[in-house]
Amino acid sequence: MKLFTSVHDVPSIKQFVNDALALKADPYAHQDLGKNKTLGLVFMNPSLRTRLSTQKAALNLGMNVMVMNMDKEGWALETQDGVVMNGSTVEHIREAAAVMGQYCDILGLRSFPKLNNREEDYSEDFFNKFVKYCAVPVVSLESATRHPLQSFADIITIHETWTKKPDGRKPKVVLAWAPHVKALPQAVPNSFAEWMCKAQAEGMIDFTIAQPEGYELSEDFTPKADIQYNLEEALAGADYVYVKNWSSYKEYGKVLTYPDGWMMNNEKLKFTNDAKVMHCLPVRRDLELSSEILDGPNSLVIHEAGNRLWAAQAVIKAILEEL
Protein backbone atom coordinates (compact mmCIF):
# COMPACT_ATOMS: atom_id res chain seq x y z
CA MET A 1 0.00 0.00 0.00
CA LYS A 2 1.41 3.39 -1.04
CA LEU A 3 -1.76 5.47 -0.74
CA PHE A 4 -4.74 5.26 1.62
CA THR A 5 -7.61 7.50 0.60
CA SER A 6 -10.64 5.20 0.41
CA VAL A 7 -11.91 1.63 0.68
CA HIS A 8 -10.80 1.19 -2.95
CA ASP A 9 -7.22 1.02 -1.66
CA VAL A 10 -8.14 -2.07 0.40
CA PRO A 11 -8.23 -5.44 -1.43
CA SER A 12 -10.25 -7.19 1.31
CA ILE A 13 -12.08 -5.52 4.20
CA LYS A 14 -12.25 -8.81 6.10
CA GLN A 15 -8.49 -9.32 5.92
CA PHE A 16 -7.77 -5.69 6.80
CA VAL A 17 -10.07 -5.90 9.83
CA ASN A 18 -8.28 -9.06 10.96
CA ASP A 19 -4.93 -7.28 10.57
CA ALA A 20 -6.13 -4.42 12.77
CA LEU A 21 -7.45 -6.75 15.46
CA ALA A 22 -4.14 -8.64 15.47
CA LEU A 23 -2.39 -5.33 16.18
CA LYS A 24 -4.90 -4.58 18.92
CA ALA A 25 -3.96 -7.90 20.54
CA ASP A 26 -0.22 -7.23 20.21
CA PRO A 27 0.42 -3.50 19.62
CA TYR A 28 4.23 -3.54 19.75
CA ALA A 29 4.97 -6.64 17.69
CA HIS A 30 6.17 -4.70 14.64
CA GLN A 31 8.28 -1.90 16.12
CA ASP A 32 11.23 -2.76 13.88
CA LEU A 33 9.16 -1.80 10.83
CA GLY A 34 9.14 1.86 11.79
CA LYS A 35 12.65 2.16 13.18
CA ASN A 36 14.37 5.27 11.79
CA LYS A 37 11.25 6.15 9.78
CA THR A 38 9.30 9.40 10.18
CA LEU A 39 5.58 10.06 9.85
CA GLY A 40 4.54 13.66 9.20
CA LEU A 41 0.98 14.64 10.10
CA VAL A 42 -0.29 17.76 8.33
CA PHE A 43 -3.52 19.33 9.58
CA MET A 44 -5.29 22.07 7.69
CA ASN A 45 -8.16 21.81 10.20
CA PRO A 46 -8.61 20.93 13.90
CA SER A 47 -8.34 17.35 15.11
CA LEU A 48 -8.59 15.33 18.32
CA ARG A 49 -9.11 11.60 17.61
CA THR A 50 -7.40 11.59 14.22
CA ARG A 51 -4.29 13.35 15.46
CA LEU A 52 -3.85 11.41 18.69
CA SER A 53 -4.74 7.97 17.33
CA THR A 54 -2.50 8.27 14.26
CA GLN A 55 0.38 9.64 16.30
CA LYS A 56 0.07 6.81 18.82
CA ALA A 57 -0.22 4.23 16.03
CA ALA A 58 3.06 5.40 14.51
CA LEU A 59 4.79 5.33 17.89
CA ASN A 60 3.55 1.76 18.43
CA LEU A 61 5.30 0.86 15.18
CA GLY A 62 8.58 2.47 16.28
CA MET A 63 8.31 5.60 14.11
CA ASN A 64 9.26 9.18 14.78
CA VAL A 65 6.33 11.58 14.40
CA MET A 66 6.17 15.26 13.44
CA VAL A 67 2.93 17.26 13.51
CA MET A 68 2.27 20.44 11.54
CA ASN A 69 -0.92 22.43 12.19
CA MET A 70 -0.91 24.43 8.98
CA ASP A 71 -4.00 26.44 9.92
CA LYS A 72 -2.10 27.95 12.87
CA GLU A 73 1.61 27.41 12.27
CA GLY A 74 2.13 27.35 8.52
CA TRP A 75 2.07 29.74 5.60
CA ALA A 76 -1.10 30.36 3.62
CA LEU A 77 -0.82 28.01 0.64
CA GLU A 78 -1.51 28.71 -3.01
CA THR A 79 -2.90 25.74 -4.95
CA GLN A 80 -3.59 27.21 -8.38
CA ASP A 81 -0.93 27.07 -11.09
CA GLY A 82 -0.06 29.97 -13.35
CA VAL A 83 -1.03 32.70 -10.88
CA VAL A 84 1.05 35.64 -9.74
CA MET A 85 1.24 35.27 -5.96
CA ASN A 86 0.70 38.92 -5.09
CA GLY A 87 -2.22 38.27 -2.73
CA SER A 88 -2.61 36.62 0.67
CA THR A 89 -0.91 33.31 -0.14
CA VAL A 90 2.76 32.99 0.78
CA GLU A 91 3.88 29.56 -0.39
CA HIS A 92 2.80 27.32 -3.25
CA ILE A 93 1.70 23.76 -2.56
CA ARG A 94 4.30 22.57 -5.06
CA GLU A 95 7.14 23.65 -2.80
CA ALA A 96 5.40 23.06 0.54
CA ALA A 97 4.41 19.46 -0.17
CA ALA A 98 7.73 18.67 -1.83
CA VAL A 99 9.66 19.94 1.19
CA MET A 100 7.53 17.88 3.58
CA GLY A 101 8.31 14.83 1.48
CA GLN A 102 12.02 15.51 1.96
CA TYR A 103 11.65 15.22 5.73
CA CYS A 104 9.17 12.34 6.05
CA ASP A 105 8.86 8.75 4.84
CA ILE A 106 5.05 8.85 5.08
CA LEU A 107 2.73 11.85 5.25
CA GLY A 108 -0.82 12.14 6.57
CA LEU A 109 -3.02 15.01 5.41
CA ARG A 110 -6.30 16.36 6.77
CA SER A 111 -8.27 18.98 4.87
CA PHE A 112 -11.96 19.94 4.84
CA PRO A 113 -14.16 21.13 1.97
CA LYS A 114 -15.24 24.74 1.72
CA LEU A 115 -18.84 23.69 0.91
CA ASN A 116 -19.16 26.53 -1.61
CA ASN A 117 -18.46 24.77 -4.90
CA ARG A 118 -19.34 21.09 -5.28
CA GLU A 119 -17.19 20.54 -8.35
CA GLU A 120 -14.17 22.08 -6.67
CA ASP A 121 -14.59 20.06 -3.47
CA TYR A 122 -15.36 16.77 -5.17
CA SER A 123 -12.41 17.13 -7.52
CA GLU A 124 -10.17 16.72 -4.42
CA ASP A 125 -7.82 19.20 -6.11
CA PHE A 126 -5.93 20.16 -2.95
CA PHE A 127 -5.48 16.60 -1.72
CA ASN A 128 -4.45 15.25 -5.12
CA LYS A 129 -1.87 18.00 -5.62
CA PHE A 130 -0.40 17.33 -2.20
CA VAL A 131 -0.06 13.62 -3.07
CA LYS A 132 1.52 14.48 -6.42
CA TYR A 133 4.11 16.93 -5.15
CA CYS A 134 5.15 15.33 -1.85
CA ALA A 135 6.37 12.17 -3.66
CA VAL A 136 6.00 9.87 -0.62
CA PRO A 137 3.14 7.59 0.50
CA VAL A 138 0.13 9.49 1.88
CA VAL A 139 -2.58 8.57 4.38
CA SER A 140 -5.84 10.50 4.24
CA LEU A 141 -6.67 11.89 7.67
CA GLU A 142 -9.90 13.19 6.08
CA SER A 143 -10.44 14.99 2.81
CA ALA A 144 -13.21 16.97 1.17
CA THR A 145 -15.17 13.83 0.30
CA ARG A 146 -13.97 10.94 2.52
CA HIS A 147 -12.73 9.99 6.00
CA PRO A 148 -11.38 6.47 5.45
CA LEU A 149 -9.61 5.99 8.80
CA GLN A 150 -12.89 6.70 10.59
CA SER A 151 -14.82 4.28 8.38
CA PHE A 152 -12.19 1.57 8.83
CA ALA A 153 -12.51 1.95 12.61
CA ASP A 154 -16.28 1.74 12.25
CA ILE A 155 -16.22 -1.58 10.41
CA ILE A 156 -13.66 -2.92 12.91
CA THR A 157 -16.09 -2.00 15.71
CA ILE A 158 -19.05 -3.68 14.03
CA HIS A 159 -17.07 -6.84 13.28
CA GLU A 160 -15.63 -6.97 16.80
CA THR A 161 -18.96 -6.52 18.62
CA TRP A 162 -21.21 -8.67 16.43
CA THR A 163 -22.13 -12.09 17.82
CA LYS A 164 -22.66 -14.62 15.06
CA LYS A 165 -26.21 -15.94 14.94
CA PRO A 166 -27.12 -19.65 14.61
CA ASP A 167 -29.07 -18.90 11.44
CA GLY A 168 -26.11 -17.03 9.91
CA ARG A 169 -27.98 -13.72 9.81
CA LYS A 170 -25.81 -10.73 8.98
CA PRO A 171 -26.05 -7.53 11.05
CA LYS A 172 -28.33 -4.81 9.71
CA VAL A 173 -26.46 -1.49 9.75
CA VAL A 174 -28.36 1.79 9.38
CA LEU A 175 -26.72 5.14 8.59
CA ALA A 176 -29.18 7.65 10.09
CA TRP A 177 -29.12 11.35 9.29
CA ALA A 178 -29.35 13.64 12.34
CA PRO A 179 -29.97 17.36 12.88
CA HIS A 180 -27.23 19.95 13.39
CA VAL A 181 -26.92 23.71 13.83
CA LYS A 182 -24.72 24.24 10.78
CA ALA A 183 -23.83 22.75 7.42
CA LEU A 184 -21.43 19.82 7.71
CA PRO A 185 -19.48 18.04 4.94
CA GLN A 186 -20.51 14.72 3.42
CA ALA A 187 -17.05 13.19 4.00
CA VAL A 188 -17.92 10.93 6.95
CA PRO A 189 -21.26 9.63 5.57
CA ASN A 190 -19.77 9.27 2.07
CA SER A 191 -16.94 7.21 3.43
CA PHE A 192 -19.10 5.17 5.82
CA ALA A 193 -21.54 4.37 3.01
CA GLU A 194 -18.73 3.41 0.66
CA TRP A 195 -17.15 1.04 3.19
CA MET A 196 -20.51 -0.46 4.18
CA CYS A 197 -21.48 -1.04 0.55
CA LYS A 198 -18.23 -2.91 -0.03
CA ALA A 199 -18.70 -4.83 3.23
CA GLN A 200 -22.20 -5.72 2.02
CA ALA A 201 -20.73 -6.95 -1.27
CA GLU A 202 -18.29 -9.09 0.75
CA GLY A 203 -21.24 -10.64 2.61
CA MET A 204 -20.47 -9.02 5.96
CA ILE A 205 -23.57 -6.83 6.57
CA ASP A 206 -26.88 -5.53 5.23
CA PHE A 207 -26.85 -1.76 4.77
CA THR A 208 -29.58 0.89 4.89
CA ILE A 209 -29.41 4.70 4.71
CA ALA A 210 -32.15 6.81 6.30
CA GLN A 211 -32.37 10.52 5.53
CA PRO A 212 -34.95 13.24 4.88
CA GLU A 213 -35.80 14.15 1.30
CA GLY A 214 -33.08 16.29 -0.25
CA TYR A 215 -30.22 14.80 1.76
CA GLU A 216 -29.32 12.02 -0.68
CA LEU A 217 -25.60 11.39 -0.94
CA SER A 218 -23.84 11.08 -4.28
CA GLU A 219 -24.79 7.75 -5.86
CA ASP A 220 -21.08 7.10 -6.37
CA PHE A 221 -20.85 6.31 -2.65
CA THR A 222 -24.08 4.35 -2.16
CA PRO A 223 -24.19 1.46 -4.67
CA LYS A 224 -26.86 -1.11 -3.68
CA ALA A 225 -27.62 0.57 -0.35
CA ASP A 226 -31.26 0.43 0.73
CA ILE A 227 -32.23 4.11 0.88
CA GLN A 228 -35.25 5.12 2.97
CA TYR A 229 -36.89 8.39 4.00
CA ASN A 230 -38.78 7.25 7.09
CA LEU A 231 -36.46 6.84 10.08
CA GLU A 232 -38.71 4.54 12.11
CA GLU A 233 -39.25 2.20 9.16
CA ALA A 234 -35.53 2.14 8.39
CA LEU A 235 -34.72 1.29 12.01
CA ALA A 236 -36.89 -1.83 12.03
CA GLY A 237 -34.66 -4.78 12.91
CA ALA A 238 -31.46 -2.68 12.96
CA ASP A 239 -28.50 -4.10 14.89
CA TYR A 240 -26.29 -1.01 14.50
CA VAL A 241 -27.31 2.63 13.99
CA TYR A 242 -24.62 5.04 12.81
CA VAL A 243 -25.78 8.58 13.56
CA LYS A 244 -24.36 11.48 11.53
CA ASN A 245 -25.39 14.83 10.13
CA TRP A 246 -24.49 16.04 6.63
CA SER A 247 -25.52 18.94 4.44
CA SER A 248 -27.25 18.54 1.11
CA TYR A 249 -25.27 17.20 -1.84
CA LYS A 250 -27.82 18.22 -4.51
CA GLU A 251 -28.30 21.74 -3.12
CA TYR A 252 -24.68 21.73 -2.21
CA GLY A 253 -23.73 22.68 1.33
CA LYS A 254 -27.23 23.81 2.28
CA VAL A 255 -29.23 22.95 5.38
CA LEU A 256 -32.70 22.09 4.13
CA THR A 257 -35.96 21.98 6.03
CA TYR A 258 -36.80 18.57 7.46
CA PRO A 259 -39.58 17.09 9.58
CA ASP A 260 -39.24 16.65 13.34
CA GLY A 261 -38.17 13.36 14.85
CA TRP A 262 -34.74 12.72 13.35
CA MET A 263 -32.73 12.70 16.59
CA MET A 264 -31.97 9.21 17.91
CA ASN A 265 -33.19 8.56 21.46
CA ASN A 266 -34.33 5.60 23.52
CA GLU A 267 -37.83 5.83 22.10
CA LYS A 268 -36.41 5.35 18.60
CA LEU A 269 -34.32 2.41 19.81
CA LYS A 270 -37.54 0.51 20.46
CA PHE A 271 -37.92 0.13 16.68
CA THR A 272 -34.52 -1.61 16.45
CA ASN A 273 -33.17 -4.98 17.48
CA ASP A 274 -31.75 -3.35 20.64
CA ALA A 275 -29.23 -1.74 18.31
CA LYS A 276 -25.79 -0.51 19.24
CA VAL A 277 -25.40 3.19 18.42
CA MET A 278 -22.32 4.72 16.81
CA HIS A 279 -21.10 8.23 16.04
CA CYS A 280 -17.72 9.45 14.78
CA LEU A 281 -17.49 12.26 17.40
CA PRO A 282 -17.46 15.08 18.23
CA VAL A 283 -21.21 14.94 18.89
CA ARG A 284 -23.62 17.67 19.95
CA ARG A 285 -25.57 16.11 22.79
CA ASP A 286 -29.36 16.25 22.63
CA LEU A 287 -29.24 17.71 19.14
CA GLU A 288 -27.64 14.99 17.01
CA LEU A 289 -27.89 12.23 19.58
CA SER A 290 -29.61 12.02 22.95
CA SER A 291 -27.61 11.98 26.16
CA GLU A 292 -29.64 8.99 27.32
CA ILE A 293 -28.17 6.95 24.48
CA LEU A 294 -24.65 8.35 24.80
CA ASP A 295 -24.58 7.56 28.52
CA GLY A 296 -26.44 4.28 28.18
CA PRO A 297 -25.55 0.64 27.44
CA ASN A 298 -26.25 0.86 23.69
CA SER A 299 -23.55 3.46 22.95
CA LEU A 300 -20.39 2.30 21.19
CA VAL A 301 -18.92 5.77 20.62
CA ILE A 302 -15.94 5.38 23.00
CA HIS A 303 -15.20 1.81 21.87
CA GLU A 304 -15.40 3.05 18.28
CA ALA A 305 -13.05 5.97 18.99
CA GLY A 306 -10.60 3.57 20.61
CA ASN A 307 -10.50 1.53 17.41
CA ARG A 308 -9.26 4.59 15.53
CA LEU A 309 -5.82 3.64 16.88
CA TRP A 310 -5.85 0.13 15.41
CA ALA A 311 -7.26 1.31 12.10
CA ALA A 312 -4.43 3.83 11.75
CA GLN A 313 -1.82 1.31 12.87
CA ALA A 314 -2.97 -1.28 10.32
CA VAL A 315 -2.78 1.30 7.53
CA ILE A 316 0.67 2.60 8.51
CA LYS A 317 1.97 -0.94 8.92
CA ALA A 318 0.78 -1.86 5.42
CA ILE A 319 2.59 1.18 4.01
CA LEU A 320 5.78 0.53 5.97
CA GLU A 321 5.88 -3.01 4.60
CA GLU A 322 6.07 -1.52 1.08
CA LEU A 323 8.90 0.92 1.85
Side-chain angles (χ1 to χ4, degrees), residues 170-181:
K170 295 173 287 187
K172 178 180 176 179
V173 179
V174 177
L175 170 60
W177 185 90
H180 206 281
V181 295

Side-chain angles (χ1 to χ4, degrees), residues 126-170:
F126 179 84
F127 196 93
N128 291 334
K129 284 179 177 176
F130 185 91
V131 170
K132 178 180 179 181
Y133 297 130
C134 75
V136 296
V138 174
V139 177
S140 172
L141 308 177
E142 188 170 5
S143 70
T145 63
R146 292 179 173 95
H147 195 349
L149 283 177
Q150 177 64 55
S151 303
F152 184 22
D154 297 335
I155 194 68
I156 292 169
T157 304
I158 292 169
H159 178 83
E160 188 179 27
T161 58
W162 175 246
T163 301
K164 290 185 178 180
K165 308 304 179 187
D167 61 0
R169 181 176 68 85
K170 295 173 287 187

Side-chain angles (χ1 to χ4, degrees), residues 8-157:
H8 302 301
D9 298 313
V10 178
S12 166
I13 291 180
K14 290 180 182 178
Q15 183 57 56
F16 215 28
V17 166
N18 289 335
D19 292 345
L21 291 175
L23 289 167
K24 187 172 185 177
D26 193 359
Y28 307 111
H30 303 278
Q31 286 192 322
D32 287 347
L33 269 179
K35 185 178 180 180
N36 299 325
K37 299 288 195 306
T38 298
L39 173 69
L41 302 178
V42 183
F43 292 94
M44 309 301 294
N45 307 92
S47 176
L48 190 160
R49 280 150 294 276
T50 300
R51 172 172 174 168
L52 294 181
S53 61
T54 310
Q55 195 167 355
K56 173 63 174 171
L59 293 172
N60 284 355
L61 291 166
M63 299 187 76
N64 302 310
V65 184
M66 297 191 295
V67 179
M68 185 73 181
N69 295 303
M70 289 292 291
D71 59 329
K72 301 177 183 67
E73 302 165 346
W75 302 115
L77 295 182
E78 178 61 60
T79 61
Q80 299 302 310
D81 291 324
V83 298
V84 176
M85 290 174 55
N86 58 0
S88 60
T89 56
V90 178
E91 185 163 15
H92 202 283
I93 192 171
R94 285 175 174 264
E95 287 78 47
V99 166
M100 292 177 195
Q102 293 290 303
Y103 304 147
C104 302
D105 300 281
I106 303 171
L107 284 164
L109 174 66
R110 181 186 183 107
S111 62
F112 288 173
K114 297 177 182 177
L115 287 181
N116 296 324
N117 184 306
R118 188 174 75 183
E119 287 68 33
E120 179 182 336
D121 288 344
Y122 273 70
S123 73
E124 292 284 12
D125 179 66
F126 179 84
F127 196 93
N128 291 334
K129 284 179 177 176
F130 185 91
V131 170
K132 178 180 179 181
Y133 297 130
C134 75
V136 296
V138 174
V139 177
S140 172
L141 308 177
E142 188 170 5
S143 70
T145 63
R146 292 179 173 95
H147 195 349
L149 283 177
Q150 177 64 55
S151 303
F152 184 22
D154 297 335
I155 194 68
I156 292 169
T157 304

Side-chain angles (χ1 to χ4, degrees), residues 294-307:
L294 285 165
D295 298 331
N298 293 73
S299 175
L300 284 180
V301 298
I302 303 303
H303 186 130
E304 178 186 1
N307 279 335

